[in-house]
Amino acid sequence: MGLVRAETGVDAGAVVHCGDPAREQRDLDAGAGWVDLSHRGVFTVAGPDRLSWLHAMTTQHLVTLAPHQGTTALLLDAQGHIDHALFLVDDGEVLWGHTEPGRVGDLVGFLDRMRFLSRVEVTDRSAEVAVVWTVEDPAGFPTPLVTRRADDSLGGTDLFLPRTALTALDDRPRRAGLWAYEARRIAAGVARIGLDTDARTIPNEIGVLGGAVHMDKGCYTGQETVARVWNLGRPPRRLVRLQLDGSADRLPGHGEEIALRDAPERPIGVIGSSARHHEQGPIALALVKRTVPVDAPLVVGDVAAGQEVLVDPEVGLHVRPGRS
C-alpha cells in the first residue's frame, strides 16, 4: 500500500499513513521515523523589535528568548479565549513559527495590523517553507533553515525546510503518517488548538499554564481572565484523556458528545481528537465539565470510556498544575 492522504477535515491532503500505522508508531517510539507536516502554516517575524513586540501581545515571555530555544505562545481575545497557537524559535535574527493548517493567513493578517510603529516585518512563508517533524538526528536531513525543540514537540524536532527539499525525502525510509504522530500527541496529553479546543476555550482548561502561558509576565490581551481563574481556581472545563472501549469497531469523531455512563442523555463534554495507539488502544482527548467526578465512567455514543485526569478540576493558585 502506498501513501494514504486525508480527504477531509483540517488535515486534508496530509499523509495519514504509509501502509502500516501501528508499525509507524513503533518505529517512532524506537527513535526512527519522520512525519511530513507541510500542510501547516509557516510565518516569520523579522526586525529588531520582534521579541519585545510579540512578548507584549502573547501569553509567553519572549523578551529574553535565546537563539534556537523553542517555545510556544498563545494569542487570546479580550475574554481570554484562545485564538491562535504559535510554535516558535528564533535564529538570532528572525523569529520563525508554524501554526495550525488554514490559520496562517488570519494570524499574519492580525499581526500585520498590530505593527503600528514597531520595527517588525511579518511574512507568510508557507509557500516556500515546510515543516517536517522527526525523532531522528536532524543532521541526516536536508539542511534546515532552523530547527525547533520544545516541551510540546513530542520528543522530536521540527525542521523548517525549503519546500524544494521535500522531494529529497521521497525515498527516505521510516516515513510515518499523521495518524502515528497524532497518536503520540494524544498519548502525551498535548491539546491541539482548534481541534481539542473551541471558541470558548481558555488556557486554564487545557494544561498549558507554566508552559505556553508564562505565569509571571506582564499584561497581555486576555490575561485578566487567565489570572482571575488562576487566582480563584476551578476552570469551567478540563482536558481529559479518554481510554476508549477497544471492542468498539469505530473511533468517536470530532465534536461527538460525551455523557456519564449512568446518564447518557445528558452531555457533559465533547471529543476533540482520537486515535488508535499501538500500545494503549483507542484513545482520545476531550473537554468535559469541571464538575464531572474524576473517576466517573463515561460514554461516547455507544463507546464506553474511562478518563485520565490531565487538568485538576481545582487547579489554580492553591493547586499547582500537574504538568506544564
Side-chain angles (χ1 to χ4, degrees), residues 1-146:
M1 182 183 295
L3 305 181
V4 177
R5 298 181 182 273
E7 296 182 359
T8 60
V10 67
D11 294 316
V15 173
V16 292
H17 71 83
C18 308
D20 190 345
R23 188 269 303 162
E24 294 162 26
Q25 290 183 49
R26 290 193 295 270
D27 284 347
L28 294 181
D29 284 354
W34 60 281
V35 180
D36 183 346
L37 299 180
S38 60
H39 63 304
R40 294 182 64 81
V42 176
F43 63 96
T44 55
V45 184
D49 296 336
R50 63 191 183 282
L51 295 180
S52 59
W53 176 69
L54 269 181
H55 174 95
M57 287 191 290
T58 70
T59 59
Q60 190 56 270
H61 195 293
L62 296 173
V63 171
T64 57
L65 183 68
H68 306 290
Q69 176 186 343
T71 192
T72 301
L74 304 176
L75 281 170
L76 312 181
D77 68 13
Q79 289 73 46
H81 305 137
I82 302 171
D83 278 342
H84 295 281
L86 292 67
F87 300 89
L88 302 170
V89 63
D90 194 86
D91 66 7
E93 297 181 353
V94 175
L95 185 68
W96 295 78
H98 63 85
T99 193
E100 288 295 325
R103 299 291 290 148
V104 71
D106 288 343
L107 172 60
V108 168
F110 170 79
L111 292 177
D112 204 44
R113 292 193 298 273
M114 299 300 292
R115 287 186 302 136
F116 302 116
L117 299 178
S118 297
R119 295 170 297 171
V120 295
E121 182 180 354
V122 186
T123 307
D124 180 352
R125 303 291 296 274
S126 307
E128 60 199 79
V129 180
V131 176
V132 167
W133 176 89
T134 182
V135 290
E136 300 175 8
D137 185 346
F141 287 77
T143 303
L145 299 166
V146 69

Side-chain angles (χ1 to χ4, degrees), residues 207-230:
V208 294
L209 303 184
V213 179
H214 195 285
M215 300 305 292
D216 299 315
K217 64 162 288 188
C219 184
Y220 55 87
T221 300
Q223 185 193 30
E224 182 178 352
T225 297
V226 174
R228 182 174 65 250
V229 175
W230 172 247

Side-chain angles (χ1 to χ4, degrees), residues 306-321:
Q307 57 172 312
E308 296 180 68
V309 176
L310 296 175
V311 175
D312 191 308
E314 304 299 314
V315 69
L317 191 59
H318 63 298
V319 177
R320 295 291 180 176

Side-chain angles (χ1 to χ4, degrees), residues 42 206 246 252 257 277 289 312 323:
V42 176
I206 60 170
E257 292 182 337
H277 192 275
K289 293 180 179 178
D312 191 308
R323 67 175 185 83

Side-chain angles (χ1 to χ4, degrees), residues 164-180:
T164 53
L166 292 179
T167 55
L169 300 178
D170 286 346
D171 298 322
R172 186 180 179 88
R174 302 299 186 186
R175 179 171 187 161
L178 201 60
W179 285 358

Side-chain angles (χ1 to χ4, degrees), residues 265-304:
E265 73 285 354
R266 297 176 58 186
I268 50 85
V270 293
I271 290 286
S273 50
S274 59
R276 296 190 185 277
H277 192 275
H278 72 106
E279 291 182 335
Q280 300 183 33
I283 55 177
L285 293 179
L287 281 172
V288 300
K289 293 180 179 178
R290 180 191 63 80
T291 53
V292 174
V294 296
D295 58 351
L298 307 177
V299 64
V300 188
D302 56 349
V303 180

